[in-house]
Amino acid sequence: MNKIDVNPVIVKESLGDKLSKEKHVWDEYLEAKRDKPERQVLAVGLGHRFHEGPWLFHDLSFRLEPGEIVGICGPSGSGKSTLLSLIAGFEDPTSGSVQRFGINRICWVFQNPHGMPRRTAIDHVTQPLLGQGMNRVQAESQALAIMEDFHLIDVCARDFKELSGGEAQRLMLARAVASRPDLLLVDEPTAQLDQLTAADVDRTLAGIAQADCIVAVATHDPNTRSACTRVIDLARHRNTEKQ
Ligand SMILES: Nc1ncnc2c1ncn2[C@@H]1O[C@H](COP(=O)(O)OP(=O)(O)OP(=O)(O)O)[C@@H](O)[C@H]1O
């Protein structure tokens, strides 16, 4: 938890004029909290199973904070997508709790890229920026800067339907970054791609780390896993005793 600085002079003065000065200190505390929301996801003792089925994972505790790319890893069926849903709050855990702080906008990138076939690549990235109130010149310049991070400059004027699978997936990541979410969840970004195209996506994955956004990527691809800054390995949280 961030330390909130409280002015010691005001605290000392408050001994004399207790009520009003204490209120001052309290207001300052609230102001500081408003300015620096502690954006985080806190999971404690998390476990999940569907109906009376086997436990996918249990006793899972972690904290997700902005600035890193957290890989949610494990074999097929281990519950990676389910854990993303729990993190987002779309599903309630069977045991334990997930708390979200400072999260209003959640963005998902799915394994199958979905775009508008006859709209250009740059349109897909410009759109969310226009929605945030930028004018077209500002939005296009910002969109190009984001697309550069995802190696998309050469195809920016191409229609979505003309993009390769890897380009389309990188465009989904660029559009997600342009949407400025508080929480970005990426589900198996390379699952539908061949090895070479997947490597293209992995090379640009660092571009989704944002100073003010929490990022989690579900993957069973070892290269995508290596591109993450930290890993939650679901294989370690399966326990036959609990099944
Ligand atoms: N709504 C549901 N109801 C019942 N079972 C479900 C539901 N959603 C997922 N499952 C089951 O839970 C298990 C974990 O699914 P999940 O999609 O989370 O795994 P995953 O690790 O993401 O798998 P993959 O790597 O194959 O995408 C699977 O056996 C799946 O069939």
Side-chain angles (χ1 to χ4, degrees):
M1 196 174 279
N2 285 347
K3 185 173 173 290
I4 306 293
D5 289 328
V6 176
N7 188 337
V9 177
I10 296 171
V11 176
K12 203 170 166 202
E13 281 177 10
S14 75
L15 294 172
D17 188 5
K18 214 162 183 290
L19 268 181
S20 69
K21 292 291 178 356
E22 270 182 2
K23 182 173 181 308
H24 189 168
V25 171
W26 182 241
D27 285 346
E28 210 176 52
Y29 171 80
L30 288 179
E31 193 65 35
K33 267 195 98 67
R34 244 194 313 275
D35 286 352
K36 295 178 193 151
E38 294 152 2
R39 182 164 296 151
Q40 60 174 292
V41 174
L42 194 58
V44 180
L46 209 56
H48 200 72
R49 69 200 293 199
F50 287 103
H51 318 296
E52 292 306 306
W55 287 85
L56 297 175
F57 48 81
H58 66 95
D59 289 343
L60 192 54
S61 297
F62 57 82
R63 184 197 299 268
L64 305 181
E65 287 176 314
E68 46 180 1
I69 304 176
V70 178
I72 299 193
C73 301
S76 180
S78 59
K80 301 181 293 295
S81 304
T82 303
L83 181 54
L84 289 186
S85 293
L86 299 183
I87 290 171
F90 295 166
E91 190 111 39
D92 290 328
T94 311
S95 63
S97 66
V98 183
Q99 289 175 283
R100 284 164 294 279
F101 301 95
I103 293 171
N104 298 308
R105 289 172 59 80
I106 300 178
C107 182
W108 281 78
V109 174
F110 298 101
Q111 45 181 273
N112 297 310
H114 280 290
M116 292 162 281
R118 288 171 201 284
R119 298 289 289 270
T120 59
I122 193 170
D123 268 356
H124 286 75
V125 187
T126 308
Q127 215 57 45
L129 297 167
L130 290 172
Q132 290 156 29
M134 287 188 192
N135 65 38
R136 185 155 286 277
V137 175
Q138 289 170 327
E140 284 186 352
S141 129
Q142 178 83 48
L144 284 171
I146 295 172
M147 290 176 88
E148 195 164 9
D149 285 344
F150 292 92
H151 305 172
L152 287 167
I153 295 295
D154 291 349
V155 298
C156 69
R158 216 175 272 176
D159 280 351
F160 182 80
K161 63 180 164 53
E162 294 167 346
L163 299 179
S164 72
E167 288 161 352
Q169 189 58 289
R170 282 184 274 133
L171 182 62
M172 296 300 99
L173 296 174
R175 182 172 66 176
V177 167
S179 305
R180 298 213 177 122
D182 305 318
L183 174 62
L184 170 57
L185 302 167
V186 183
D187 199 357
E188 298 278 6
T190 58
Q192 306 293 325
L193 306 175
D194 63 56
Q195 225 173 353
L196 221 61
T197 319
D200 276 347
V201 172
D202 290 332
R203 263 195 291 277
T204 60
L205 207 59
I208 60 174
Q210 305 293 308
D212 52 358
C213 176
I214 295 169
V215 181
V217 180
T219 184
H220 60 252
D221 177 336
N223 294 322
T224 309
R225 177 185 174 128
S226 305
C228 295
T229 56
R230 180 159 67 97
V231 163
I232 295 170
D233 192 345
L234 292 185
R236 294 187 181 175
H237 291 270
R238 310 187 95 170
N239 183 349
T240 41
E241 270 175 36
K242 204 156 182 179
Q243 312 260 331

